[in-house]
Amino acid sequence: MFIGGRVIKVVCPYCGFGCNILIDPKTLKITPYKGEPNRGKLCPKGLHALEFVFSKDRLMYPLKKVGEDFVRISWDKAMEEISSRLLEIRENYGADAVAFIASSKVSNEENYLLQKIARLFGTNNIDNCARLCHEASVHALKMTLGTGAQTNPYSDLENVKAVLIWGYNPAETHPVVMDYILKAKKKGAKIIVVDVRETTTMKLADYKVIIKPGTDITLANAIMNVIISEGLYNKDFVKTRTTGFSEVKMGVKKYTPEYAEKVTGVDSRLIREVARVFAKAGSGAIMWGMGLTQHVSGVENVLAIIDIALLLGYIGDRGGLYPMRGQNNVQGAAYMGALSEFLPGYIPLNDENFRKRVARLWGVKDLPTERGLYLTELWDAILEGDVKALYIVGENPAVSEANVLKVRKALTKLDLLVVQDIFLTRTARFAHYVLPAAAFCEKEGSYMNSERRIQWSSKVCNPPGEARPDWVILSELGKVLGLPGFNYSRVEEITEEYFKMFPELEGRSAEELKNSEGIIIPYRRLHTIQFSTPDGKARMYAVEQIMPWETPNGEYPLILTTVRVISHYNTGEMTLRSPSLVKLMSEPVVYISREDAEKYGIKNGDLVKVETRRGSLTLKAKIANVKEGVIIVPFHFDANVLTNDALNKAGTPELKFSAARIVKL
Ligand SMILES: Nc1nc2c(c(=O)[nH]1)N[C@H]1C(S)=C(S)[C@@H](COP(=O)(O)OP(=O)(O)OC[C@H]3O[C@@H](n4cnc5c(=O)[nH]c(N)nc54)[C@H](O)[C@@H]3O)O[C@H]1N2
Ligand SMILES: Nc1nc2c(c(=O)[nH]1)N[C@H]1C(S)=C(S)[C@@H](COP(=O)(O)OP(=O)(O)OC[C@H]3O[C@@H](n4cnc5c(=O)[nH]c(N)nc54)[C@H](O)[C@@H]3O)O[C@H]1N2
Ligand code: SF4
Ligand SMILES: [Mo]
């Protein structure tokens, strides 16, 4: 969309908050969009979002590995060779020997196409990085409320009387949402932050709750113990709109604040105070992030905090649940069906009516019904010889998965690895074929942010060399594989096709979306009258503390957790190619407590080796306000040589807890 006839509106390529940036196509100057959702604000990543686009490292031509090197080949030859290898592997080993990884970085249209290709090819082996991220929240929300997404729009945050921020550090990870929280605070809302360290977000907190890593269920249960025993819960809401209360009441009985203090390290008086303040506020939002989901107890962690909201009736216009989505289009990738257990719209594979309707739309009788492999299950499946070919779009598992040394080994075992990216990433270096994609501002399409707002992103400039938009590459792939229905000539044809998957979008045009301030689906505020469960009631679950997979011991006495910093983004492929961001942080560090620094004779700036059972990493030490016994590494610089790949029920690894040791070099 052209705004004022000159600047072009584009969705920020980084986080799931979903800011719009305005780009002047002549000067390439970036300014923030004044409307929803960013209201004239951008963080440093958004402000410098064009720097990686013009990096000299951009992929320009399709490449094929010959011996140890990559050689340039034509698009036609690349597509022909890739499709004949895929068909041959299907012929010899079946469709499930092929897996596809979709991308939370690319548009709805592109994710929709990739999952359509996978399913028409005959497999549900299609997944995206939601698996490493908020899939535990999706599972817990579906179990309790029936719908796996953020319940309320950002604007509701301004009107609540309390905000509980748990295992989530928006000041670094969704900086613009802080404005909404600040507005609430200015109107008198109490801000409570629960984390394992003093975070930047805590600058805004009325209550700073510093907890031992991995003990969140105990804290949540103790908060509920206080709320129930002091009669502070919303009896009417609990009675009319939920089931499972008596189970929860029994379940939290033993979790007194005094007991919880021993497990969590949080003062029992603070637990009581926080429980009372949050319960008496009358309305409240709960926002959470990776500190809860990236644990073997990920699903249960989220169930526990949803219970708090349900006990208090903080749903609808009295609050909301905010599992703040990570990547700019992770919510869209999920809604488009790029998940191995869901069809578009999070509809389960065994919903025969819907599945057959989608199949008919795609010109076939039926689609595969068995759940596909999770992204995080692929590596063992490759090492065991069950998966022979992998097609990756915009994902960098050689850096982003837990225990990456194992992943890198698996990547060498494939008969066929295709990587479609904008850079020759660490993962792409393992590939047999590398396909150059256009970056976000070199193509058009729609994206969905954390509040479920679908927004159109327009084209500013042409891609470099022979790079093509992902949707163009995927339309071609569908065609060369001989699949029906891939004759797209305009991206809007794909937009209007995916609209057919959703009752609230069916019949609307791409033009309508382009001329709107985005469309929130299914509607702005979920569950106001009833929940999306079969009986319309929310189901509460009692959950017991589940301890992390590894226990620190004499050999590995420390707890390692991995976090994000404002200036860098995930595997660093984009931000490490952005000079303005590199200036803000240029090298990897490990944060350690004053006590541990003293114990190990470490000074600020010393080089140390951090080791776990999986690998080791040399980092610069920085003394910080963290708990004794805990060390913290920003994950953007190869931290996953260290992390544990034990999975929770939703398939997310325990990226937030490893037993570790530290050696001064
Ligand atoms: N600048 C920047 N922004 C980003 C990203 C980025 O890489 N860089 N990535 C995007 C993506 S994909 C995502 S998913 C989001 C993630 O956004 P966040 O969830 O905010 O990100 P993290 O820093 O990984 O983890 C949040 C917090 O969990 C805490 N934590 C660790 N272990 C525990 C625990 O056991 N209990 C509790 N209560 N807390 C714990 C950490 O100290 C950390 O402060 O950010 C998005 N935005
Ligand atoms: N230790 C540790 N590990 C973690 C986490 C953690 O907290 N700690 N967090 C996890 C989480 S929440 C997530 S979401 C994952 C993220 O893991 P990844 O998704 O693997 O990480 P990104 O660096 O965001 O990778 C995105 C890729 O998309 C490419 N790309 C960008 N734009 C385009 C485009 O338009 N087209 C194409 N084809 N490619 C494009 C980029 O170059 C990059 O290679 O990491 C996970 N790993
Ligand atoms: S808050 Fe997120 S969406 Fe907004 S500018 Fe920063 S990275 Fe982009
Ligand atoms: Mo994420």
Side-chain angles (χ1 to χ4, degrees), residues 188-346:
K190 293 283 179 256
I191 315 293
I192 304 160
V193 182
V194 184
D195 205 290
V196 298
R197 60 186 174 129
E198 174 118 19
T199 60
T200 326
T201 305
M202 282 187 184
K203 289 198 180 120
L204 212 79
D206 297 288
Y207 300 91
K208 302 177 186 178
V209 184
I210 312 252
I211 185 178
K212 272 191 205 148
T215 62
D216 299 274
I217 293 176
T218 300
L219 178 64
N221 280 349
I223 289 175
M224 288 190 273
N225 176 299
V226 176
I227 291 172
I228 295 173
S229 62
E230 298 187 4
L232 301 174
Y233 63 102
N234 183 333
K235 286 152 202 108
D236 183 52
F237 185 91
V238 165
K239 187 161 164 229
T240 56
R241 298 211 45 201
T242 72
T243 58
F245 171 71
S246 48
E247 220 176 272
V248 170
K249 188 176 169 189
M250 283 290 291
V252 302
K253 217 169 203 154
K254 76 165 198 242
Y255 291 85
T256 60
E258 287 67 29
Y259 168 78
E261 177 174 330
K262 286 191 210 118
V263 180
T264 63
V266 182
D267 191 315
S268 57
R269 285 164 302 184
L270 181 60
I271 299 177
R272 282 211 165 78
E273 193 170 353
V274 159
R276 289 172 189 149
V277 165
F278 194 61
K280 289 178 184 169
S283 66
I286 306 185
M287 310 179 81
W288 71 94
M290 301 299 103
L292 287 185
T293 59
Q294 293 174 339
H295 278 290
V296 286
S297 56
V299 175
E300 291 79 4
N301 284 350
V302 179
L303 287 174
I305 59 162
I306 295 173
D307 280 343
I308 298 178
L310 292 173
L311 268 185
L312 300 172
Y314 287 174
I315 294 288
D317 53 11
R318 299 189 59 238
L321 291 162
Y322 293 79
M324 291 292 294
R325 300 309 302 244
Q327 298 253 37
N328 60 332
N329 203 32
V330 62
Q331 188 65 76
Y335 259 79
M336 293 304 121
L339 286 171
S340 57
E341 75 273 52
F342 296 119
L343 292 165
Y346 289 124

Side-chain angles (χ1 to χ4, degrees), residues 129-130 132-134 290 294 324-327 330 564 569-570 635:
C129 70
L132 301 165
C133 192
H134 261 303
M290 301 299 103
Q294 293 174 339
M324 291 292 294
R325 300 309 302 244
Q327 298 253 37
V330 62
R564 293 168 159 80
Y569 194 81
N570 292 355
F635 105 88

Side-chain angles (χ1 to χ4, degrees), residues 134-149:
H134 261 303
E135 205 52 23
S137 305
V138 170
H139 280 233
L141 285 162
K142 269 196 136 319
M143 286 166 72
T144 50
L145 315 186
T147 307

Side-chain angles (χ1 to χ4, degrees), residues 12 14-15 18-19 42-43 45-46 175-176:
C12 175
Y14 287 111
C15 91
C19 294
L42 288 176
C43 82
K45 288 182 298 307
V176 175

Side-chain angles (χ1 to χ4, degrees), residues 13 52 102-107 110 128-134 290 293-294 326-328 330 375 392-402 419-427 435-441 443 447 468-470 473 561-564 569-574 577 633-636 638-640 643 652-653 655-656:
F52 74 83
S103 178
S104 299
K105 279 263 148 284
V106 307
S107 68
E110 294 162 338
N128 79 86
C129 70
R131 193 65 60 195
L132 301 165
C133 192
H134 261 303
M290 301 299 103
T293 59
Q294 293 174 339
Q327 298 253 37
N328 60 332
V330 62
L375 169 55
I392 303 179
V393 177
E395 176 78 1
N396 192 14
V399 187
S400 57
E401 290 281 320
V419 174
Q420 182 173 316
D421 206 291
I422 57 174
F423 295 118
L424 191 67
T425 60
R426 185 86 192 232
T427 305
L435 302 177
F440 72 109
C441 57
K443 61 184 179 187
Y447 298 76
R468 292 177 175 174
D470 292 283
I473 306 171
T561 193
T562 56
V563 303
R564 293 168 159 80
Y569 194 81
N570 292 355
T571 66
E573 293 289 350
M574 294 153 79
R577 290 186 172 93
V633 177
F635 105 88
H636 319 290
D638 219 20
N640 281 321
T643 52
T652 309
L655 295 160
K656 290 287 187 261

